[in-house]
Amino acid sequence: PRGDPRGPPSWHDPGVAPVEDSFTPGDLEEALRAIRSTLGKCEKVLPKLTPGTGQHTLLTRRIKALTIAAVLIERELGRAPR
């Protein structure tokens, strides 16, 4: 709930589904495909945005987060050195 002094809900809170701590290689492959697709779309739009605007900053941060997620999944799949 908004204004809750405990902060945002976590997977420990009742009523919020827990996050799995293990995923199949197929799950990871599917996630990686979706991340790469979204990353490509973001990278295509970025040059159309004006640097210094909120939209540009948000998209730049989103690209960085998606790139990190992709690298971590690739590591989990054994494709990149740790």
Side-chain angles (χ1 to χ4, degrees):
R2 242 171 218 237
D4 189 333
R6 295 177 298 152
S10 73
W11 66 272
H12 294 289
D13 289 338
V16 177
V19 176
E20 290 185 49
D21 60 359
S22 64
F23 301 95
T24 67
D27 292 336
L28 296 175
E29 291 286 351
E30 185 177 340
L32 189 56
R33 183 202 54 76
I35 288 169
R36 285 182 176 152
S37 172
T38 303
L39 189 54
K41 292 173 186 175
C42 290
E43 289 171 338
K44 183 177 178 181
V45 170
L46 187 63
K48 299 175 184 178
L49 300 177
T50 304
T53 63
Q55 287 179 323
H56 188 274
T57 301
L58 177 63
L59 194 56
T60 300
R61 290 177 181 165
R62 185 167 288 149
I63 288 169
K64 184 174 183 178
L66 289 168
T67 300
I68 291 168
V71 167
L72 293 174
I73 291 172
E74 287 171 348
R75 281 185 187 170
E76 186 66 24
L77 289 169
R79 294 186 187 160
R82 289 182 183 249

